[in-house]
Amino acid sequence: MNSLIFILVISNINLIFSANQNPGHLKPLGSVGNLIHIKELHEEYPTISKLFTYYIPKSEPSLSRQVLNNDKHFSVWQTDKQLLDQVYGLADTNIQVESFKSRQRQRIPMTFEDFLQQYKKEPLIFADNIPQVLQKYLVVPKPLQCEAALEIFSSAILVINAINASPLLFNQDYDHFHCILRGNKRMILINTIKYPDIRKIVIPEKMQQHGPPVNPDRVDFDLFPAFNNVEYHLANLTSGDCLFIPNSWVFQERSMEHTISVIYNIKHQHALKIDANELKQCSDYDATFTLDQIDWSADRQPQSFKDVIMSLVNTNSEGYNKWEETFSKHLSYDLASDPETSAIFEEFYGIIDVDGNGQVTKTEVEQINGVHQHHITDILYEMVKIINKKQKTTTPKSVQNNDEQQSTEDEDSIDSQHDKTDL
């Protein structure tokens, strides 16, 4: 009998050991395993032709070393003092920053000077559209200077943070350049085209039960066996480097010191449709072409959805059906009757329903910020564009308010009402 117990104990130990024998178990993401260094270009970006005919359609990352160093204003970004001293009006610029002092991240207002004085001491991060006053200090990346590329260049996001490690991130609608102006980062990328189960973990499919999030500092291979034997693509970024990350790649960033970076978003689906012949007509690189010369108001972001969302949460309208009905009235278009718009709205609702319980609360809405905010804005904008197109070719079923009738003029003016909306 004792020998039988001994055998069972040994068997259980073996089972426990076998479940945890992967060398990456409970270790930081990408620290152990099949590690692949991303191919590098030295002091140059991918050519515009290769970016849109190879890297984007083939979903290949690329690392451009030291491509920012020769930019006219690169030195301005190297210290907080230089920024405040050399950029007139920056100190008093009002911004919104994210605070991690409590378990629930909060969005708080402050001036840029106050933020630069506090973010190294307190858990604060700035991640938002680049303030106007700073745009003239950033040259548009060479592959995006072509007119055809500018049409699908969606946004430029400035990120300023202290030493930290991000959660797993996924930019499903955009390809993007991740450029380092100051500091250094270690980037870990996983190709979800090759490993689709990883995508399902980071972004659970509709109606799929949300499990615990992956801890990138301590990846549990028992809870997330999909991470067994994946290829981790690595890039150690330093000041002046730009990493191209395709839209289908999960990534995690680890800032090794206080870091300033810029994310240049490219609309993926539009990029796939670029005419290669147009790219041949692009002019040479212009080192004086800065972000402030781009008309960011021209059909880039929709406006006025924020009021609709706040009205819903302030009246405790938490259910999906109520939200869809309210947005249908706001857009004068029955979203539920159209599979395409219904799917987009479901995607939008799924993102802001952070805990996945089917109801959106004021707390969840307050978490809409930074890159997350811009992604939601673009989803709504795409939905409006589709509705506009359908209204020009068909007569969809419109949703009427009980107290008023929507006129033909109102339906035709949907483009002017919503094409410039931001959250």
Side-chain angles (χ1 to χ4, degrees):
M1 181 67 177
N2 289 337
S3 61
L4 178 59
I5 293 174
F6 178 76
I7 292 171
L8 287 173
V9 169
I10 294 298
S11 298
N12 287 335
I13 291 174
N14 286 335
L15 284 171
I16 294 171
F17 176 77
S18 64
N20 299 334
Q21 64 183 354
N22 190 296
H25 179 63
L26 299 182
K27 293 183 179 178
L29 183 78
S31 61
V32 178
N34 190 0
L35 310 181
I36 299 174
H37 287 276
I38 295 171
K39 292 182 180 179
E40 299 182 7
L41 298 172
H42 292 277
E43 298 184 356
E44 62 177 346
Y45 289 101
T47 65
I48 186 167
S49 176
K50 198 156 188 179
L51 175 66
F52 287 99
T53 62
Y54 176 75
Y55 287 104
I56 290 178
K58 297 293 185 182
S59 192
E60 285 286 338
S62 175
L63 174 55
S64 298
R65 292 288 188 193
Q66 305 300 290
V67 287
L68 305 179
N69 295 47
N70 293 325
D71 287 359
K72 181 179 179 181
H73 298 293
F74 181 67
S75 62
V76 172
W77 297 90
Q78 299 315 301
T79 69
D80 294 340
K81 185 177 186 305
Q82 283 177 287
L83 274 174
L84 293 173
D85 288 348
Q86 297 186 35
V87 181
Y88 178 78
L90 178 63
D92 297 326
T93 298
N94 293 314
I95 58 174
Q96 295 281 327
V97 304
E98 295 176 45
S99 171
F100 299 86
K101 286 184 179 179
S102 61
R103 285 188 177 183
Q104 193 72 33
R105 67 167 61 181
Q106 293 180 317
R107 188 96 161 145
I108 58 177
M110 62 175 57
T111 66
F112 215 99
E113 182 175 26
D114 288 341
F115 170 71
L116 291 180
Q117 291 174 347
Q118 296 178 39
Y119 82 101
K120 295 179 181 179
K121 306 172 187 176
E122 302 178 20
L124 300 173
I125 182 173
F126 175 78
D128 213 333
N129 294 316
I130 298 173
Q132 179 69 35
V133 71
L134 285 170
Q135 290 181 13
K136 67 179 180 180
Y137 295 93
L138 291 167
V139 178
V140 176
K142 184 176 180 179
L144 301 181
Q145 289 198 4
C146 180
E147 183 175 349
L150 282 173
E151 292 177 0
I152 60 172
F153 176 17
S154 174
S155 61
I157 306 297
L158 180 65
V159 181
I160 305 178
N161 60 272
I163 299 170
N164 72 0
S166 77
L168 290 181
L169 303 171
F170 188 75
N171 207 341
Q172 63 183 352
D173 291 326
Y174 302 104
D175 307 283
H176 70 276
F177 283 100
H178 195 117
C179 299
I180 308 298
L181 293 166
R182 187 205 304 176
N184 63 79
K185 289 184 179 182
R186 179 177 173 84
M187 306 287 289
I188 310 294
L189 283 67
I190 302 174
N191 184 359
T192 64
I193 294 177
K194 188 171 185 178
Y195 304 104
D197 288 342
I198 300 295
R199 173 176 177 150
K200 294 176 184 177
I201 292 171
V202 179
I203 303 181
E205 295 179 339
K206 297 176 179 66
M207 306 308 292
Q208 178 182 334
Q209 184 175 0
H210 289 235
V214 178
N215 179 358
D217 291 324
R218 189 177 167 85
V219 181
D220 191 324
F221 280 61
D222 291 342
L223 284 177
F224 305 103
F227 284 91
N228 278 291
N229 304 315
V230 302
E231 294 177 341
Y232 297 104
H233 292 249
L234 309 182
N236 293 311
L237 305 182
T238 61
S239 179
D241 294 345
C242 285
L243 174 64
F244 172 71
I245 304 179
N247 83 314
S248 54
W249 290 62
V250 165
F251 61 97
Q252 191 240 355
E253 56 188 65
R254 187 177 296 273
S255 297
M256 314 308 289
E257 58 182 301
H258 305 115
T259 305
I260 299 181
S261 51
V262 180
I263 298 169
Y264 298 101
N265 287 317
I266 306 165
K267 295 179 181 178
H268 177 69
Q269 292 300 324
H270 294 72
L272 294 176
K273 299 173 184 177
I274 275 192
D275 186 347
N277 291 322
E278 290 186 51
L279 302 179
K280 297 177 183 178
Q281 303 172 13
C282 294
S283 57
D284 294 334
Y285 174 65
D286 181 357
T288 67
F289 183 23
T290 49
L291 289 176
D292 62 309
Q293 299 174 49
I294 297 176
D295 182 6
W296 294 104
S297 66
D299 287 341
R300 291 181 182 273
Q301 301 174 5
Q303 281 179 2
S304 79
F305 283 116
K306 181 177 181 179
D307 292 339
V308 179
I309 292 174
M310 293 311 299
S311 175
L312 283 164
V313 297
N314 289 333
T315 56
N316 296 318
S317 302
E318 300 175 345
Y320 176 88
N321 291 337
K322 179 62 177 177
W323 276 64
E324 186 176 49
E325 177 188 349
T326 302
F327 269 80
S328 293
K329 290 178 179 178
H330 182 64
L331 296 167
S332 301
Y333 191 93
D334 189 354
L335 299 174
S337 69
D338 185 316
E340 190 172 11
T341 56
S342 178
I344 294 175
F345 186 80
E346 187 174 353
E347 179 185 2
F348 155 71
Y349 192 86
I351 292 173
I352 60 175
D353 180 17
V354 177
D355 60 13
N357 69 349
Q359 296 183 327
V360 176
T361 64
K362 187 173 183 177
T363 300
E364 288 173 319
V365 170
E366 288 173 347
Q367 295 181 44
I368 300 175
N369 47 51
V371 179
H372 186 54
Q373 169 186 336
H374 193 79
H375 174 49
I376 292 173
T377 299
D378 279 309
I379 289 177
L380 294 173
Y381 175 57
E382 287 303 313
M383 182 167 65
V384 170
K385 295 272 283 187
I386 289 171
I387 291 173
N388 290 340
K389 184 177 179 180
K390 290 176 181 289
Q391 286 187 328
K392 291 176 182 177
T393 57
T394 62
T395 307
K397 178 183 177 182
S398 61
V399 176
Q400 306 294 336
N401 284 311
N402 293 331
D403 300 328
E404 60 181 65
Q405 296 294 315
Q406 298 293 331
S407 67
T408 303
E409 288 82 3
D410 289 336
E411 294 177 356
D412 290 341
S413 66
I414 187 174
D415 187 61
S416 61
Q417 292 173 4
H418 303 293
D419 267 7
K420 297 180 180 177
T421 298
D422 198 355
L423 294 176

